[in-house]
């Protein structure tokens, strides 16, 4: 329970050993009144107590239990205790009819509940000697001299001062020479119990004849049925001297008006136990408090100028807490020096010392601690703003806390949210069990549950979700939401937009995870990026996306499509992509120019549709062949390549463009350009080969004809030789 009653255990050890002493009121016929004094000794653990103590005294008919008969007027009296001794003025009115009476004292030395002192003290007979009921017989004129402090009621059977009354004898005007009613006001024929007062018998002007005239009586005396014809200011109920005015109900004070010389009276309503501190001006207690509510007495108190308690019980405004107010409720307290502070209601709410301009709207057990000026708790229960947490606010909820030196911090509501020490300008929007640790200034948790920002992180933020965490010294980092996401220590300017189970490692500044699940940026991985996906990994300045893409090398770019299998980089500053469905790369907005790689393909396809081409013209394939044949082809390395790298074969762009595309860019050769020249050269070569082939065919045909003719000649010669041989040999072969 939050309370400002710091010394209550100590009060419980206080013991009052009191000796009742009536200041020797003489048993004379002087009009003494009903006040008397109580003298006692006050000890703390056996040692005499010195200091101020506030006593509340009640009168009882039994030594224990029962109900209080009367309350001391005033209800609360602050007296000085010196070396344990004190003197307490008491006045219970006409509460001593002759029966036994016991005095109950309640005491406190600081603001808070009173502690009853036991046992009750039985009163000695001395007060009874002062009551009119003990005066019988004939009283001499000198025996009733002096002024009466209160009204005197004559209720004997007689009706005059002529000596004929059975209960009041030998009392004439001469016996009241110096009393409240002087001799001049009474004549021998004034009838106290008769139907009229004859105006001729009132002679001194204090009560004029017109005052009791039937025509003016309505505006001269206040009547129980109300008055008519009154003039505001001229006619009033009250006092004309510097004395309080009290209105009682059933014998107990219900309203007390205390004058002040500066024209700022105190108004004390409700229980007679309610009180305004000594020297306080302009204070108001509208009501509340109790002498016996369920066997317990309750007090409201104001100890500061112009303080207000609207009602309730055991509410208190402390010393020098000027212009502060408690609307009602129970056990609410505004401590010393907290000017302009407000507690609207509720119970056990507390505004600490020097917390001016602070406010608690209501609820239960809320606390604004010392030096937390302009702090606000709108309501809820057991919410707490710590010491030096100026300008901080808790909107409501339950068991939320803004700790010491966390000024200008805010918790909008929720349950078990906490902003720790020195986390100024930080905020928690609501949710459950969210935490901003010590020295994490400008930190924000918008809501969610079990989110945490660790110590010494400047301007981090968690937008919501649950179980998200930003580590120590991770300045300006952010988690947008989701669950179980973590930015580790010293990872400033890091971001996790959402998702689940994503992690940015230690010292991975300027890194980001867009979402997805179970993605990881390695320790010391500055500028790493994972836009989303699942089980992706990136290191320093790397990029990984898709599914199970592993950018393990610095500056690597890895795309993993949706295949549930690792695809990893093999070197730094490389691009690795898995697209099991193929690739398409377009170079214009209409997606009509570009290249593609088919699924399972190993070469790029360029767009070569006749329908997307124009300006057709024939080419001199033989001329292209001749130019290509004349072009130097060399072996070489690029300047950035090592000498041991595999050499390249090909022309220079300048030679190529001069031969085939004069006037164009001479720093590069596209594959389409090289392919077109090669194809044209092949056609030229084919034409050359075809022409040679045709000449060869003609020659062959000519030779074949000649060969056939020679064969025929040979055959003919063979036949001729044979015929000649037959003739030479006589026909023999």
């Amino acid at each position: 329970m939050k309370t400002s009653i710091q010394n209550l255990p100590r009060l419980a050890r206080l013991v009052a050993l009191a000796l009742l002493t009536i200041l020797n009121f003489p048993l004379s016929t002087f009009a003494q009144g009903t006040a008397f004094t109580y003298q006692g000794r006050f000890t703390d653990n056996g040692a005499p107590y010195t200091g101020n103590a506030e006593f509340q005294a009640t009168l009882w008919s039994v030594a224990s239990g029962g109900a209080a008969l009367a309350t001391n007027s005033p209800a609360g009296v602050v007296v000085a205790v010196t070396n344990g001794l004190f003197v307490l003025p008491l006045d219970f009115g006409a509460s001593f009819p002759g029966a036994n009476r016991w005095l109950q004292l309640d005491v406190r030395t600081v603001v808070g509940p009173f502690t009853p002192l036991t046992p009750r003290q039985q009163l000695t007979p001395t007060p009874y000697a002062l009551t009119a009921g003990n005066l019988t017989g004939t009283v001499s004129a000198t025996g009733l001299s002096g002024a009466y402090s209160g009204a005197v009621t004559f209720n004997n059977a007689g009706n005059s001062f002529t000596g004929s009354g059975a209960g009041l004898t030998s009392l004439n005007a001469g016996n009241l020479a110096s009393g409240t009613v002087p001799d001049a006001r009474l004549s021998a024929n004034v009838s106290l119990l008769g139907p009229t007062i004859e105006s001729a018998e009132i002679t001194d002007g204090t009560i004029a004849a017109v005052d009791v005239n039937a025509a003016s009586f309505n505006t001269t005396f206040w009547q129980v049925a109300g008055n008519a014809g009154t003039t505001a200011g001229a006619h009033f109920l009250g006092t004309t001297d510097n004395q309080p005015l009290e209105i009682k109900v059933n014998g107990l004070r219900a309203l007390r008006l205390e004058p002040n010389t500066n024209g700022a009276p105190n108004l004390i309503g409700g229980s007679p136990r309610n009180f305004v501190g000594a020297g306080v001006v302009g204070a108001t207690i509208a009501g509340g408090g109790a002498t016996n509510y369920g066997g317990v007495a309750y007090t409201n108190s104001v100890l500061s100028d112009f303080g207000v308690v609207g009602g309730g019980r055991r509410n208190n405004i402390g010393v020098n807490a000027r212009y502060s107010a408690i609307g009602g409720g129970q056990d609410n307290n505004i401590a010393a020096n907290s000017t302009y502070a407000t507690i609207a209601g509720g119970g056990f709410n507390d505004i600490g010392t020097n917390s001016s301009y602070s406010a608690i709207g209501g609820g239960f057990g809320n606390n604004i601690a010392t030096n937390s000026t302009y702090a606000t708790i709108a309501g809820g229960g057991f919410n707490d703003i710590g010491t030096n947490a100026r300008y901080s606010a808790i909107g409501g909820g339950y068991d939320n806390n803004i700790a010491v030196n966390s000024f200008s911090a805010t918790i909008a509501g929720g349950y078990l949210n906490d902003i720790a020490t020195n986390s100024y300008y930080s905020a928690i929007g609501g949710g459950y069990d969210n935490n901003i640790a010590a020295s994490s200034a400008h930190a924000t948790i918008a809501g969610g549950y079990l989110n945490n920002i660790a110590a010494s992180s400047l301007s981090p933020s968690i937008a919501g979700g649950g179980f998200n965490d930003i580590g120590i010294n991770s300045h300006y980092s952010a988690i947008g939401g989701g669950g179980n996401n973590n930015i580790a220590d010293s990872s400033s300017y890091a971001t996790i937009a959402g998702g689940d189970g994503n992690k940015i490692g230690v010292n991975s500044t300027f890194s980001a995870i867009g979402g997805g699940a179970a993605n990881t940026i390695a320790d010391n991985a500055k500028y790493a990026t994972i836009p989303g996906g699942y089980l992706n990994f990136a290191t320093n300045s790397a990029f990984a996306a898709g599914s199970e893409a592993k950018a393990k090398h610095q500056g690597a770019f890895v795309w993993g499509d949706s295949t549930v299998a690792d695809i990893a980089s093999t070197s730094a500053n490389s691009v690795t992509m898995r697209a099991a469905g193929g690739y398409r790369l377009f170079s214009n907005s209409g997606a009509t120019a570009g290249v593609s790689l088919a699924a399972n393909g190993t070469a790029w396809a360029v767009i070569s549709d006749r329908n997307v081409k124009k300006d057709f013209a024939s080419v001199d394939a033989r001329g292209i062949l001749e130019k290509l044949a004349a072009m130097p082809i060399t072996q070489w390395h690029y300047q950035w390549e090592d000498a041991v790298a595999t050499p390249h074969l090909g022309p220079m762009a300048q030679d190529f463009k001069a031969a085939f595309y004069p006037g164009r860019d001479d720093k590069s050769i596209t594959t389409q350009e090289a392919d077109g020249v090669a194809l044209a050269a092949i056609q030229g070569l084919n034409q050359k080969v075809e022409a040679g082939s045709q000449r060869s065919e003609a020659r062959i045909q000519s030779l074949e004809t000649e060969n056939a003719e020679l064969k025929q000649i040979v055959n003919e010669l063979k036949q001729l030789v044979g015929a000649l041989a037959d003739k030479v040999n006589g026909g023999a072969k």
Side-chain angles (χ1 to χ4, degrees), residues 256-258 260 264-269 275-277 280-286 301-309 317 324:
R256 177 180 174 88
L257 305 175
E258 296 179 344
N260 285 301
N266 300 319
L267 186 153
I268 307 171
F275 72 95
V276 171
V280 173
V281 301
T284 300
I285 300 176
S301 58
V302 176
L303 306 182
S304 293
D305 295 346
F306 302 101
V308 176
V309 173
I317 296 176
S324 293

Side-chain angles (χ1 to χ4, degrees), residues 457-471:
S457 292
L458 181 64
S459 297
S461 65
I462 298 176
F467 296 98
N468 297 306
D469 185 85
I470 295 177

Side-chain angles (χ1 to χ4, degrees), residues 132-356:
N134 294 323
L135 299 178
T136 60
T138 301
V139 182
S140 66
T142 58
L144 294 176
S145 63
Y148 291 106
S149 61
V152 178
T153 301
F154 298 98
N155 58 2
N156 60 298
N159 59 4
S160 71
F161 287 95
T162 60
S164 62
L168 184 64
T169 61
S170 301
L171 182 62
N172 56 36
N175 298 126
L176 303 175
S178 59
T180 302
V181 183
D183 290 348
R185 299 185 188 177
L186 301 174
S187 70
N189 296 321
V190 172
S191 176
L192 296 182
L193 300 180
T196 63
I197 299 178
E198 297 180 10
S199 60
E201 297 169 342
I202 302 174
T203 61
D204 69 347
T206 301
I207 302 177
V210 68
D211 292 334
V212 295
N213 184 279
S216 62
F217 189 82
N218 188 56
T219 58
T220 305
F221 299 96
W222 290 101
Q223 302 180 82
V224 295
N227 285 36
T230 61
T231 301
H235 302 136
F236 61 91
L237 280 176
T239 62
T240 58
D241 54 2
N242 190 28
Q243 294 296 320
L245 174 66
E246 293 190 351
I247 297 176
K248 295 185 178 182
V249 177
N250 195 28
L252 291 178
R253 189 193 82 194
L255 178 64
R256 177 180 174 88
L257 305 175
E258 296 179 344
N260 285 301
T261 57
N262 53 14
N266 300 319
L267 186 153
I268 307 171
S271 169
R273 295 182 66 92
N274 296 333
F275 72 95
V276 171
V280 173
V281 301
T284 300
I285 300 176
T291 57
N292 185 355
Y293 183 78
V296 180
Y298 296 98
T299 300
N300 294 315
S301 58
V302 176
L303 306 182
S304 293
D305 295 346
F306 302 101
V308 176
V309 173
R313 66 186 192 184
R314 214 151 52 191
N315 297 309
N316 174 70
I317 296 176
V319 177
N320 294 323
R322 295 181 300 277
Y323 316 108
S324 293
I326 298 175
Q330 172 187 357
D331 287 279
N332 297 306
N333 178 64
I334 296 174
N337 302 315
S338 291
T339 56
Y340 301 97
T342 302
I343 298 176
F348 296 92
N349 298 306
D350 187 88
I351 295 177
T353 305
N354 296 317
S355 292
S356 298

